C-alpha cells in the first residue's frame, strides 16, 4: 500500500525531471511486482500447485523488464519517451501484454484448485463440531490402520458417546444439545496429537484413533478428557458426561474390526452405569476400566 501511494506521489513531485520520474515510477513498480512474486511462495493456504510458479515467474519477468526501462530512462538517452522503439522497450510492452494473460490463466487454475480442496474438506468435515465426519473418519482411519498393520505400531481406538443426550435436548433444547456436541468436539480437538484422528461419526457418538498408543496411554487420555468435564458444565450451564469404549488394534485387523470391538465396550460401559471407560480385551469381551 505504501508503494502504491508513493509511485504516483513521486511521479508528480519529480515530473520536471524525466530521468527521475521514470526511474522512480518504474523502480517502485518493479519492487511491487517482486513483492507479489515473493508472496506466491508464502501462501496462507497449504496449496502448492504449479500455478504459483507460473504467476511468480510471470511477475518476475515483468519486474525485470520494468526495472530495465527505469534504468534506460534514468541513465541513458535510449528511452526518451514511453513509445521509444528500443528493443528492451518493445520487449517490455510485448511481455507486459502477454504475461498478464498467462498469470490470469494460472490464477484461474489456482482458484479451481483452491475451490476443489475446499469442497473436498467440506465433504469430510462435520459442520457443527469441525471434526471429521464419518466419511472423513473412514478415509483417514483406514490409512492409519493400514500403516499400523505394515509397521506393527500400536494403535488405540476410543469410542465416546454423550450420556443421556436425549435428556439434554428434551430439558434444555436442541440448541443446548448442539452446544454440548461442540464442547465435546472442541475437547477432542484440544487433546489430540497431530498424528491422531478425531471424528464425530454420527449423532452424539465420537471416535478418537490414537496412533502409536498403548492401552495405558489411551486410558490416560480418556481420564484427561473427563477432568475437563466440570469446566464444560460451567460453560454450558448443565452437566455433561460420556461413556467410552477402548479397543486396541491387533495385527491384520481392519478399522471396522476395531470399531466393532470399541462399540461393544462402549455399550458395556453404558449398560454398567455410564460415565466411565470399558476396555475390550477381545471381540465381544469387554473388561471394566472405571
Amino acid at each position: 500500500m505504501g508503494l502504491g501511494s508513493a509511485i504516483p506521489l513521486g511521479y508528480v513531485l519529480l515530473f520536471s525531471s524525466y530521468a527521475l520520474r521514470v526511474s522512480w515510477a518504474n523502480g517502485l513498480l518493479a519492487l511491487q511486482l517482486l513483492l507479489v512474486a515473493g508472496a506466491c511462495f508464502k501462501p496462507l493456504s497449504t496449496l502448492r500447485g504449479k500455478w504459483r510458479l507460473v504467476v511468480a515467474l510471470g511477475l518476475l519477468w515483468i519486474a525485470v523488464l520494468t526495472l530495465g526501462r527505469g534504468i534506460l530512462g534514468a541513465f541513458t538517452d535510449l528511452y526518451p519517451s514511453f513509445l521509444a522503439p528500443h528493443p528492451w522497450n518493445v520487449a517490455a510492452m510485448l511481455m507486459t501484454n502477454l504475461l498478464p494473460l498467462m498469470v490470469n490463466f494460472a490464477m484461474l487454475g489456482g482458484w479451481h484448485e483452491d475451490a476443489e480442496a475446499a469442497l473436498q474438506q467440506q465433504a469430510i468435515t462435520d459442520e457443527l463440531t469441525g471434526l471429521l465426519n464419518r466419511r472423513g473418519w473412514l478415509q483417514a482411519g483406514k490409512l492409519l490402520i493400514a500403516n499400523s498393520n505394515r509397521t506393527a505400531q500400536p494403535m488405540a481406538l476410543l469410542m465416546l458417546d454423550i450420556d443421556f443426550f436425549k435428556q439434554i435436548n428434551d430439558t434444555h433444547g436442541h440448541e443446548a444439545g448442539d452446544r454440548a456436541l461442540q464442547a465435546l468436539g472442541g475437547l477432542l480437538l484440544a487433546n489430540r496429537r497431530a498424528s491422531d484422528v478425531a471424528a464425530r461419526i454420527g449423532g452424539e457418538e465420537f471416535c478418537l484413533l490414537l496412533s502409536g498408543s498403548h492401552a495405558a496411554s489411551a486410558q490416560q487420555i480418556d481420564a484427561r478428557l473427563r477432568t475437563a468435564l466440570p469446566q464444560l458444565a460451567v460453560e454450558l450451564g448443565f452437566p455433561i458426561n460420556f461413556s467410552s469404549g477402548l479397543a486396541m488394534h491387533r495385527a491384520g485387523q481392519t478399522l471396522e474390526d476395531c470399531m466393532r470391538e470399541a462399540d461393544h465396550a462402549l455399550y458395556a460401559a453404558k449398560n454398567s452405569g455410564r460415565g466411565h471407560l470399558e476396555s475390550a480385551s477381545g471381540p465381544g469381551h469387554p473388561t471394566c476400566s472405571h
Side-chain angles (χ1 to χ4, degrees), residues 190-208:
N191 286 275
R192 72 177 180 91
R193 301 163 301 175
S195 58
D196 299 334
V197 176
R200 177 188 174 205
I201 61 171
E204 64 272 26
E205 200 166 53
F206 298 80
C207 277
L208 187 59

Side-chain angles (χ1 to χ4, degrees), residues 150-256:
R150 185 172 61 254
T151 62
Q153 286 189 340
M155 182 82 65
L157 193 158
L158 276 172
M159 187 174 288
L160 299 80
D161 189 276
I162 298 178
D163 292 332
F164 304 110
F165 184 71
K166 185 178 184 301
Q167 185 176 319
I168 292 175
N169 280 331
D170 292 342
T171 304
H172 303 283
H174 288 280
E175 187 272 337
D178 287 347
R179 289 193 292 113
L181 293 170
Q182 290 171 331
L184 186 55
L187 193 59
L188 291 176
L189 281 175
N191 286 275
R192 72 177 180 91
R193 301 163 301 175
S195 58
D196 299 334
V197 176
R200 177 188 174 205
I201 61 171
E204 64 272 26
E205 200 166 53
F206 298 80
C207 277
L208 187 59
L209 193 57
L210 305 166
S211 179
S213 292
H214 295 280
S217 300
Q219 290 166 358
Q220 288 174 0
I221 290 174
D222 182 86
R224 188 162 68 243
L225 293 173
R226 294 181 189 282
T227 61
L229 293 179
Q231 180 58 39
L232 287 188
V234 172
E235 296 171 2
L236 292 170
F238 53 85
I240 180 175
N241 206 344
F242 64 86
S243 302
S244 51
L246 168 63
M248 295 302 302
H249 172 256
R250 299 189 303 278
Q253 280 189 315
T254 64
L255 178 63
E256 289 78 5

Side-chain angles (χ1 to χ4, degrees), residues 219 244 246 265 268-269 276-282 284-290:
Q219 290 166 358
S244 51
L246 168 63
H276 65 275
L277 169 71
E278 292 276 359
S279 296
S281 58
H285 300 287
T287 56
C288 185
S289 301
H290 292 266

Side-chain angles (χ1 to χ4, degrees), residues 4-51:
S5 302
I7 291 173
L9 179 62
Y11 194 87
V12 170
L13 295 176
L14 301 171
F15 192 79
S16 59
S17 172
Y18 176 80
L20 288 178
R21 75 170 188 258
V22 168
S23 59
W24 176 269
N26 283 280
L28 294 192
L29 182 58
L31 183 55
Q32 270 190 320
L33 292 166
L34 290 173
L35 288 174
V36 179
C40 291
F41 298 101
K42 296 181 181 179
L44 294 177
S45 74
T46 57
L47 301 175
R48 295 291 189 275
K50 292 180 180 178
W51 65 273

